[in-house]
Amino acid sequence: MSRNEFFQLERSGPATILTVQVSRISESEGIEQFFATLNALVQEGHKQLVLDLHQVQLVSSRALGKLVVFQRRLEQAGGWIRLCRLSDYLQELFRITQLGKLFQVFPDRDQALQNAPPAETQTLAPDNPAS
Amino acid sequence: MNSLPASDVKPVNQTNTQSEWVWEQHIPTDLQVASQVLSHILERLQHYQWGQRELFGIHLALEEALVNAMKHGNRMDPQKQVHLWCSISREQFQVRITDQGEGFNPEEVPDCTAPENLERPCGRGLMLMRNFMSEVIYNEKGNQVTMRKHRSEEGAAS
């Protein structure tokens, strides 16, 4: 397990569980660094991600937009991302924005991991790295 | 305002009574200062016993409006400022945010919940502001937004 400013990392089989350590993912709280760190993790080979959001109180519209782009590029690179442990307020945010249709959201880590596809079937696409 | 450096924020007016807190500031175009302003206003809302659910909505709407003013309005020009007027009571939250930009037409912002726009990275901020506030009004030029939130029964702090 390792730590940095934004995430606590844990491995679970082929998947990486990233527990977000900040309470706000927003423009006023270093959103560029947040996604740069996320992209760097993907470049290091963490392409099957469970994002645990239980400590997050707020996600701004721009952060949601960046998450949409991140997921699209990660999938193009053969990876996937699942979200779990959203607060009631964040769940409402995903409902209002209709983003629950784009993201796979689970109540806890176990369910997020159980619904993960097998890792060995993934084919990486180096020409389309998540960035 | 203790948490903001005097060089960053020039106080214009502050009225603090038991029934209403009114605050007016010129804020530099700086996202870190925006974060401090947000925290300060949220502290005052808690002082007036606003509940967690409504704090979440105001936090989100205020963040969107302040960042819009700095990024899209002032285009992060450090020579430009954002003017903020805010009033908080137990019954109502009001804020007026004015930037020094060219303005925009909010009617031209596409519906980000439409299926064809769902994967677009932009356009959700205005919708979230309208969703979480009672009123969101832009001036004709489009460089000033006024938002109001009336506290509902369930918004009272428990």
Side-chain angles (χ1 to χ4, degrees):
Chain A
M1 183 187 297
S2 62
R3 280 178 176 272
N4 62 36
E5 183 184 355
F6 294 108
F7 306 105
Q8 178 178 307
L9 273 67
E10 294 169 62
R11 294 304 298 254
S12 177
T16 302
I17 301 170
L18 298 176
T19 303
V20 180
Q21 303 284 290
V22 291
S23 60
R24 299 181 201 169
I25 309 174
S26 66
E27 212 81 354
S28 63
E29 299 292 329
I31 190 178
E32 301 297 339
Q33 283 177 293
F34 180 91
F35 281 95
T37 306
L38 205 49
N39 284 320
L41 287 166
V42 174
Q43 296 297 326
E44 290 168 18
H46 300 277
K47 295 187 187 219
Q48 293 149 40
L49 302 175
V50 173
L51 205 59
D52 183 332
L53 294 167
H54 81 278
Q55 295 184 45
V56 178
Q57 297 170 6
L58 184 132
V59 182
S60 73
S61 69
R62 286 166 190 80
L64 291 171
K66 283 180 174 290
L67 202 56
V68 168
V69 173
F70 175 80
Q71 173 172 259
R72 189 164 58 222
R73 291 180 176 171
L74 182 61
E75 287 176 351
Q76 286 170 355
W80 49 258
I81 184 168
R82 290 173 162 75
L83 313 180
C84 73
R85 301 177 79 191
L86 279 65
S87 70
D88 290 347
Y89 302 135
L90 288 193
Q91 288 180 46
E92 184 178 354
L93 193 58
F94 275 74
R95 268 197 306 276
I96 291 166
T97 56
Q98 306 282 320
L99 288 180
K101 295 176 182 173
L102 279 189
F103 290 96
Q104 297 184 64
V105 181
F106 297 91
D108 56 49
R109 293 172 171 203
D110 286 345
Q111 290 188 52
L113 290 166
Q114 282 168 13
N115 283 280
E120 299 308 316
T121 63
Q122 305 288 337
T123 302
L124 301 185
D127 292 340
N128 294 304
S131 60
Chain B
M1 179 167 188
N2 297 329
S3 59
L4 294 177
S7 60
D8 284 349
V9 178
K10 298 171 185 166
V12 176
N13 184 29
Q14 179 167 329
T15 309
N16 193 1
T17 67
Q18 278 196 326
S19 59
E20 187 182 19
W21 179 75
V22 179
W23 192 48
E24 193 174 359
Q25 296 276 354
H26 292 293
I27 302 166
T29 300
D30 181 327
L31 294 172
Q32 287 191 332
V33 178
S35 176
Q36 294 171 334
V37 167
L38 272 169
S39 297
H40 188 59
I41 290 174
L42 289 170
E43 279 173 24
R44 300 314 301 174
L45 284 160
Q46 287 175 315
H47 176 79
Y48 282 88
Q49 298 181 315
W50 284 66
Q52 289 303 312
R53 179 182 164 75
E54 293 192 325
L55 284 176
F56 171 79
I58 292 172
H59 187 172
L60 197 64
L62 198 52
E63 158 101 25
E64 299 292 345
L66 271 174
V67 172
N68 280 347
M70 291 184 180
K71 290 201 79 171
H72 298 303
N74 290 351
R75 299 187 180 279
M76 295 310 296
D77 181 348
Q79 303 300 316
K80 292 183 175 175
Q81 293 187 321
V82 171
H83 179 259
L84 181 143
W85 175 90
C86 177
S87 161
I88 296 172
S89 71
R90 286 178 63 94
E91 294 79 30
Q92 183 172 256
F93 167 79
Q94 296 182 85
V95 67
R96 188 165 56 245
I97 294 169
T98 312
D99 63 58
Q100 296 182 302
E102 300 298 316
F104 80 111
N105 182 358
E107 302 307 317
E108 292 177 357
V109 176
D111 176 8
C112 59
T113 61
E116 65 272 22
N117 293 331
L118 211 51
E119 291 197 50
R120 289 174 59 143
C122 304
R124 294 184 181 86
L126 187 56
M127 186 270 280
L128 291 174
M129 288 158 60
R130 285 178 169 146
N131 191 84
F132 284 104
M133 303 299 285
S134 307
E135 285 177 83
V136 177
I137 302 164
Y138 277 88
N139 67 352
E140 193 172 344
K141 183 178 175 184
N143 72 330
Q144 180 184 82
V145 62
T146 303
M147 302 192 293
R148 293 190 185 86
K149 177 78 173 172
H150 310 295
R151 182 149 73 175
S152 58
E153 287 298 316
E154 60 267 29
S158 55

